């Protein structure tokens, strides 16, 4: 099972959160990524999210996303559990993925509960001058991403725990593992007798318990792993 974070998408041009050039170096998450902030000033929260929506929709999957989809095609990877909201694993061809922090796939109206797919939200953002209004009741839509003071989607986090408990290996890619409950998933794998491998630039919270830690570019390391599998295939032919 792979567990990915923002570091798997930086090579697609999407900044991560906690590295020196990350989003939280520029924006205070408590001001922009909480339900409290959204209720207080939804237009302000959308001033943070609207540019991200267009950046995420313009981004392309990178070599790391492609390598994970290849590992799944080879039957070596069961699923990707991702903290990312950018839809890039799906666009890279991954079939079994769990979006534990939600995604930009849809937005919901807190007023009347109506849901809208991304394709409808983008023009509503434009029409709303940066904050999309609900076509049926006029309320400002909320992106279906998990804010810091929100519960994770139960079916997603339950599946993530199940995958972690059954994994022989959890491959952590591009996450500092500083946010709970996701940070516990590698520990669930270890407690169940599995191993953890980390591909991450810089330290993660699970490095000291990882069987393997590769400090480098997710795209380069994962593509090299796939290439070594192809080399094995050639030798065994
Ligand atoms: N290759 C490998 N590692 C990378 C790369 C790369 N190309 N780019 C960045 N990294 C590493 C960074 O050094 C950092 O350690 O990826 C890690 C990303 O960590 P964070 O920025 O903390 O992102 P993430 O772990 O996904 O954050 C978890 O926090 O803000 C919330 O909801 C948000 O889902 C997010 C959650």
């Amino acid at each position: 099972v792979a567990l990915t974070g923002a570091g798997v998408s930086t090579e697609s041009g999407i900044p991560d959160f906690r590295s020196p050039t990350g989003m939280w170096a520029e924006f205070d998450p408590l001001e922009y990524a909480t339900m409290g902030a959204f209720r207080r000033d939804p237009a302000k929260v959308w001033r943070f999210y609207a540019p991200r929506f267009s950046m995420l929709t313009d981004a392309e999957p990178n070599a790391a996303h492609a390598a994970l989809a290849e590992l799944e095609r080879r039957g070596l990877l069961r699923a990707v559990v991702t903290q990312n909201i950018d839809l890039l694993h799906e666009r890279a061809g991954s079939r079994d993925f769990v979006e534990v922090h939600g995604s930009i796939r849809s937005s919901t109206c807190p007023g009347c509960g109506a849901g809208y797919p991304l394709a409808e939200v983008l023009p509503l953002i434009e029409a709303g001058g940066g904050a999309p209004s609900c076509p049926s009741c006029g309320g400002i839509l909320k992106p279906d991403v998990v804010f810091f003071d929100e519960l994770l989607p139960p079916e997603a986090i339950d599946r993530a725990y199940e995958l972690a408990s059954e994994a022989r290996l959890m491959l952590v890619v591009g996450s500092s593992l500083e946010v709970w409950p996701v940070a516990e998933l590698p520990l669930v794998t270890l407690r169940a007798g599995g191993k953890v491998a980390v591909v991450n630039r810089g330290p993660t919270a699970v490095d000291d318990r990882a069987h393997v830690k590769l400090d480098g570019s997710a795209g380069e390391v994962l593509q090299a792993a796939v290439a070594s599998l192809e080399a094995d295939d050639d030798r065994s032919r």
Side-chain angles (χ1 to χ4, degrees), residues 5-7 10-11 16-19 24 83-84 101 148 174-177 179 200-201 203 216-218:
T10 54
E11 292 166 48
D16 61 12
F17 295 99
R18 291 175 186 81
S19 63
W24 298 150
Q83 302 170 84
N84 301 338
H101 288 168
F148 276 102
S175 179
S176 61
L177 292 179
V179 171
N200 196 70
R201 191 171 282 145
S217 149

Side-chain angles (χ1 to χ4, degrees), residues 203-223:
T204 79
V206 81
D207 282 357
D208 55 340
R209 276 153 292 182
H211 191 71
V212 170
K213 163 69 189 287
L214 294 166
D215 191 310
S217 149
E220 286 169 28
V221 170
L222 293 183
Q223 281 297 336

Side-chain angles (χ1 to χ4, degrees), residues 151-177:
L151 292 175
L152 277 62
E155 68 287 346
I157 195 62
D158 288 350
R159 175 118 204 277
Y161 269 88
E162 181 193 327
L163 287 165
S165 66
E166 294 168 358
R168 282 167 46 213
L169 174 71
M170 176 169 282
L171 177 60
V172 177
V173 184
S175 179
S176 61
L177 292 179

